[in-house]
């Protein structure tokens, strides 16, 4: 009785599923997953964090304001003809900025001070005065740091980290999608199993009714009725088990994609369809040119090359041109001291050179070795990826042959079942052989569906390897 209740529940659920009009394709499921699951936003945050760190370097070209104030008191050890005491108050302020496009540095400053000096009697100098000075200085690199190369170095190097973060995020997101797509395929496979079992039940129910009629007419023994009932009971149990797995997996996919509508849907996917894949040679070229994992190595190689240029930059002589103009005035009157009408100017060159520069040479050598190592690792990766692609290529093509054989096996099993039923109906066969033949037919269908699942999972693995799951 309990089994009957379970069977009725399973059949009701299955009928409800079969009656559902809405379906969802694998691509629709994955698109919904990308929009709803927090994993994708989490992965994208890494690149945004790196981006903000890069933006922080922009502050190095902001205007910098500085100011200082001081008070000084000085009494010399011996004052022969000079002051015996000096008190001074000063205030300084200015702005400066580094220009990344040129590497130049501009500084503007203002200095004001007041001094009181105790001079010997008769000294022809004022005892107190005010002094103001306004200066403008610009320094421009001619060799090292030309065009602001060193100023922009950290900002430019961080760009490679941002690019690498974006590639890693896409790779992780693709792996996540591939895992979800694999679950979707299992859902499709369970749907096929439910259909196969339901078809078997329908046929067995009809067979049971025919056998009961034959038994009522005393054409067969009661044992055949019992055998037919056992078969129906066994497939009812199978339906309950598979249906529970189907419902459980559907609930998991609905939660995964945060889409309750999936609870009223069924998958739309032809699991028996085969597709054409690139040849091994084509796959190798695609991996070499487009693989994200290879791109990561290429990005790091570009970063190392940029670092090498930076080390070579430090080996250049430091030659800079500078110019300064200022105007100033000193007066006993505060107001008059602000009339800064005494200009001066200076232009010149500054030069410095490290004679050996062993630090930069060692870092260049280290960078060259790291570059060589990364290239070898990249080549090793390409070989590994190509080998994996070749492996999957062979397995996929061989499975296509297996699927063809599965179709032939199903056809052969159906013909055998028809013959066993014919012999049994003619009284020349045993009902046990009919059951065995029917089981072989259903097993052939299950095997076909199972191999088709394996085939499409291999396709999914292949597409993930070729970076075609998440574009």
């Amino acid at each position: 009785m309990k089994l009957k209740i379970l069977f009725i529940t399973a059949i009701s659920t299955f009928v409800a599923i079969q009656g559902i009009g809405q379906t969802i394709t694998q691509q629709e499921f994955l698109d919904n997953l990308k929009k709803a699951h927090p994993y994708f936003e989490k992965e994208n945050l890494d690149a945004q964090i790196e981006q903000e760190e890069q933006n922080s370097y922009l502050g190095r070209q902001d205007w910098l304001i500085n100011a200082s104030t001081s008070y000084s008191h000085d009494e010399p050890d011996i004052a022969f003809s000079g002051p015996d005491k000096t008190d001074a108050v000063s205030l300084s302020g200015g702005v400066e900025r580094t220009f990344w496009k040129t590497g130049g540095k501009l500084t503007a400053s203002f200095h004001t001070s007041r001094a009181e000096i105790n001079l010997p009697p008769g000294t022809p100098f004022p005892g107190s005065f005010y002094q103001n000075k306004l200066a403008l200085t610009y320094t421009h690199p001619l060799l090292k740091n030309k065009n602001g190369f060193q100023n922009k170095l950290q900002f430019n190097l961080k760009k490679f980290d941002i690019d690498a973060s974006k590639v890693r995020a896409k790779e992780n997101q693709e792996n996540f999608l591939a895992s979800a797509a694999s679950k979707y395929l299992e859902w499709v496979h369970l749907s096929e199993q439910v259909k196969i079992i339901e078809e078997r039940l329908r046929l067995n129910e009809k067979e049971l009714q025919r056998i009961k009629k034959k038994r009522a007419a005393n054409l067969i023994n009661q044992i055949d009725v019992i055998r037919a009932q056992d078969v129906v009971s066994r497939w009812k149990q199978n339906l309950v088990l598979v249906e529970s797995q189907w419902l459980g997996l559907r609930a998991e996919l609905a939660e995964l994609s945060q889409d309750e509508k999936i609870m009223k849907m069924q998958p739309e996917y032809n699991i028996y369809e085969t597709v054409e894949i690139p040849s091994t040679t084509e796959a190798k070229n695609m991996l070499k040119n487009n693989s994200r994992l290879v791109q990561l190595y290429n990005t790091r190689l570009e970063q190392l090359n940029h670092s090498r240029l930076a080390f070579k930059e430090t080996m250049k002589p430091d030659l800079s041109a500078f110019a300064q103009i200022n105007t100033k005035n000193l007066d006993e009157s505060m107001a008059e001291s602000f009339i800064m009408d005494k200009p001066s100017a200076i232009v010149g060159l500054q030069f410095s050179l490290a004679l050996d520069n062993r630090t930069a040479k060692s870092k260049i050598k280290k960078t060259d070795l790291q570059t060589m190592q990364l290239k070898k690792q990249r080549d090793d990766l390409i070989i590994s990826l190509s080998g994996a692609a070749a492996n999957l290529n062979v397995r996929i093509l061989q499975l296509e042959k297996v699927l063809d054989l599965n179709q032939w096996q199903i056809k052969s099993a159906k013909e055998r079942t028809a013959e066993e039923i014919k012999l049994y109906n003619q009284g020349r066969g045993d009902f046990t052989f009919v059951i065995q033949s029917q089981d072989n037919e259903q097993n052939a269908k299950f095997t076909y569906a199972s191999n088709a699942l394996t085939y499409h999972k291999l396709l999914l693995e292949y597409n993930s390897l070729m970076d075609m799951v998440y574009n």
Side-chain angles (χ1 to χ4, degrees):
M1 183 66 181
K2 186 177 180 181
L3 179 61
K4 183 177 180 182
I5 294 173
L6 286 173
F7 172 66
I8 293 173
T9 303
I11 287 293
S12 300
T13 306
F14 178 71
V15 169
I17 292 170
Q18 293 296 84
I20 293 174
Q22 251 186 325
T23 59
I24 184 169
T25 65
Q26 186 184 67
Q27 190 58 52
E28 289 170 342
F29 168 71
L30 296 180
D31 289 341
N32 292 341
L33 188 62
K34 285 188 285 186
K35 294 175 184 176
H37 204 284
Y39 183 86
F40 295 89
E41 187 175 352
K42 175 188 77 72
E43 287 297 319
N44 290 332
L45 286 174
D46 284 341
Q48 294 179 36
I49 292 170
E50 294 284 1
Q51 179 70 64
E52 289 306 317
E53 185 173 350
Q54 185 192 44
N55 291 339
S56 69
Y57 293 117
L58 294 172
R60 296 182 180 181
Q61 56 179 335
D62 291 341
W63 285 99
L64 178 63
I65 300 175
N66 59 76
S68 65
T69 183
S70 65
Y71 166 77
S72 65
H73 173 80
D74 181 48
E75 295 183 12
D77 295 336
I78 301 176
F80 292 106
S81 58
D84 59 5
K85 184 175 67 172
T86 302
D87 291 285
V89 178
S90 65
L91 176 66
S92 299
V95 294
E96 64 179 53
R97 184 186 179 189
T98 300
F99 299 93
W100 278 13
K101 288 186 178 181
T102 64
K105 184 176 182 181
L106 177 67
T107 303
S109 62
F110 174 74
H111 178 83
T112 182
S113 63
R114 180 182 182 278
E116 290 188 0
I117 306 173
N118 285 343
L119 294 170
T123 304
F125 295 106
S128 66
F129 59 85
Y130 296 89
Q131 185 180 36
N132 290 297
K133 181 179 180 180
L134 181 64
L136 188 66
T137 306
Y138 180 73
T139 304
H140 187 83
L142 301 176
L143 293 176
K144 184 188 291 187
N145 196 36
K146 186 178 180 181
N147 297 323
F149 183 88
Q150 290 181 308
N151 299 128
K152 296 178 287 190
L153 177 61
Q154 295 303 318
F155 180 88
N156 291 336
L157 287 176
K158 183 54 65 175
K159 180 182 181 299
F160 298 105
D161 292 333
I162 294 172
D163 292 341
S165 293
K166 290 179 179 178
V167 173
R168 279 196 302 269
K170 273 198 170 184
E171 186 67 18
N172 293 339
Q173 289 166 348
E174 180 168 59
N175 292 336
F176 184 85
L177 282 178
S179 176
S182 180
K183 291 181 181 295
Y184 178 91
L185 289 176
E186 291 171 6
W187 189 32
V188 174
H189 178 240
L190 287 172
S191 298
E192 288 301 312
Q193 286 186 315
V194 170
K195 291 176 184 178
I196 293 169
I197 294 173
E198 192 274 342
E199 180 187 2
R200 175 66 188 271
L201 268 175
R202 181 175 55 82
L203 294 175
N204 287 143
E205 287 283 4
K206 287 183 178 180
E207 188 71 23
L208 177 60
Q209 295 303 317
R210 285 195 295 268
I211 289 177
K212 284 182 177 180
K213 289 179 181 179
K214 287 184 178 182
R215 175 56 186 158
N218 289 320
L219 297 176
I220 59 173
N221 296 324
Q222 179 64 22
I223 189 64
D224 288 344
V225 177
I226 296 173
R227 287 168 178 166
Q229 289 174 335
D230 287 343
V231 171
V232 171
S233 176
R234 175 158 50 89
W235 285 105
K236 285 178 181 179
Q237 293 180 61
N238 290 339
L239 179 61
V240 173
L241 292 173
V242 175
E243 184 63 27
S244 65
Q245 295 174 32
W246 191 96
L247 291 171
L249 190 52
R250 183 183 65 176
E252 180 182 353
L253 295 177
E255 184 64 27
L256 190 65
S257 62
Q258 295 293 289
D259 186 3
E260 288 297 323
K261 291 184 293 184
I262 290 180
M263 295 298 292
K264 297 180 180 180
M265 292 181 174
Q266 58 181 335
E268 181 184 334
Y269 190 95
N270 185 0
I271 200 170
Y272 301 111
E273 182 183 12
T274 59
V275 297
E276 187 176 352
I277 59 175
S279 67
T280 301
T281 302
E282 290 173 333
K284 182 177 180 179
N285 291 332
M286 291 170 66
L287 288 167
K288 185 176 181 180
N289 298 322
N290 302 319
S291 170
R292 293 194 198 98
L293 297 178
V294 176
Q295 286 178 25
L296 279 175
Y297 277 100
N298 291 336
T299 299
R300 290 309 180 193
L301 285 169
E302 290 178 20
Q303 190 175 35
L304 279 176
N305 183 59
H306 200 80
S307 297
R308 190 180 192 280
L309 293 175
F311 296 140
K312 287 185 69 68
E313 186 75 12
T314 62
M315 297 181 67
K316 293 180 180 179
D318 190 355
L319 177 63
S320 301
F322 68 90
Q324 183 184 77
I325 57 173
N326 62 70
T327 182
K328 55 191 177 298
N329 192 19
L330 184 150
D331 200 281
E332 293 181 77
S333 168
M334 178 185 291
E336 293 295 326
S337 69
F338 280 99
I339 305 175
M340 293 173 283
D341 55 357
K342 298 177 176 62
S344 63
I346 181 173
V347 295
L349 294 173
Q350 293 176 330
F351 179 81
S352 65
L353 174 65
L355 293 179
D356 200 357
N357 219 329
R358 287 176 292 180
T359 299
K361 290 179 180 178
S362 178
K363 287 184 176 180
I364 289 174
K365 182 64 176 177
K366 177 184 176 182
T367 303
D368 289 341
L369 292 173
Q370 288 176 324
T371 299
M372 186 184 304
Q373 184 184 51
L374 270 182
K375 286 181 177 179
K376 296 299 181 183
Q377 290 175 346
R378 181 188 61 186
D379 294 342
D380 177 63
L381 173 67
I382 292 173
I383 292 173
S384 297
L385 293 176
S386 300
N391 181 305
L392 289 169
N393 185 289
V394 171
R395 292 170 66 188
I396 289 170
L397 294 178
Q398 290 300 114
L399 256 179
E400 289 180 0
K401 298 178 182 179
V402 172
L403 292 175
D404 289 338
L405 291 174
N406 288 152
Q407 293 180 47
W408 178 86
Q409 187 179 17
I410 292 172
K411 181 181 178 182
S412 175
K414 284 183 177 180
E415 291 174 353
R416 178 182 172 183
T417 299
E419 289 299 318
E420 291 290 355
I421 292 174
K422 184 188 297 183
L423 289 174
Y424 176 72
N425 290 335
Q426 293 173 353
R428 296 188 297 143
D430 192 287
F431 189 63
T432 302
F433 296 144
V434 174
I435 295 173
Q436 290 177 350
S437 181
Q438 289 174 336
D439 286 343
N440 288 337
E441 182 182 341
Q442 299 310 120
N443 288 336
K445 291 179 179 179
F446 281 139
T447 301
Y448 185 34
S450 178
N451 287 337
L453 173 65
T454 302
Y455 174 83
H456 281 270
K457 280 196 171 186
L458 286 176
L459 274 179
L460 179 62
E461 186 179 348
Y462 182 85
N463 289 333
S464 179
L465 180 70
M466 303 301 293
D467 294 336
M468 294 190 295
V469 174
Y470 184 41
N471 297 320

